[in-house]
Amino acid sequence: MTEWIPFEEGEYWVENAYLLAADKNAIAMESPIIEIAKTPQGKRYLKGQGMVNNLMVIELLEKNDTLDVLLDLGGEFKYFLQAPQINAGKFFAPDVKSTLQFAPARPWHQLSEEEFSVTVEALKRIDT
């Protein structure tokens, strides 16, 4: 991957993050953050995490093969991650949340504030 991350190394709070499926069903992540770090070769990479209810993640996956991530870092910094690598807990109780970790499989796509708003408005939230 070429250098596509415009941020310096560090941890960044994410204002809003959604795990979404192609059918527009989605859940919000709680307490999402991303971390930017560098490889020994000096390339920046991103990894992120947020809290989710694992049963709802399974519900999203019942009708969809892959999930995407939508990130709002505030202001003009809104991004779409297509089919990132996802790791989540394996505890499946109705009221229990665990950490879901994600890492882009390809560069993210920056969205305009309007594109982001239209996308979020179209989501069918299954967690509300």
Side-chain angles (χ1 to χ4, degrees), residues 20-122:
L20 62 132
D23 62 6
K24 303 293 185 217
N25 284 334
I27 59 175
M29 289 185 223
E30 292 181 20
S31 305
I33 61 167
I34 60 168
E35 179 184 351
I36 310 299
K38 282 190 179 178
T39 66
Q41 296 77 26
K43 288 276 191 186
R44 282 187 231 127
Y45 68 92
L46 177 148
K47 60 184 178 177
Q49 66 181 37
M51 299 294 289
V52 295
N53 178 301
N54 290 337
L55 286 177
M56 289 187 185
V57 175
I58 297 300
E59 188 174 332
L60 290 175
L61 287 167
E62 284 178 351
K63 296 179 186 174
N64 302 275
D65 292 333
T66 60
L67 300 175
D68 302 319
V69 172
L70 196 58
L71 299 172
D72 176 3
L73 304 179
E76 66 193 64
F77 302 105
K78 294 167 183 11
Y79 299 95
F80 176 77
L81 282 73
Q82 183 180 14
Q85 299 170 351
I86 294 175
N87 294 312
K90 294 176 176 63
F91 191 71
F92 302 104
D95 297 327
V96 174
K97 294 182 179 171
S98 66
T99 301
L100 176 132
Q101 299 173 329
F102 57 91
R106 58 184 61 89
W108 60 15
H109 173 70
Q110 186 169 11
L111 302 175
S112 69
E113 291 187 47
E114 183 179 341
E115 288 174 307
F116 184 84
S117 293
V118 167
T119 303
V120 170
E121 287 173 20

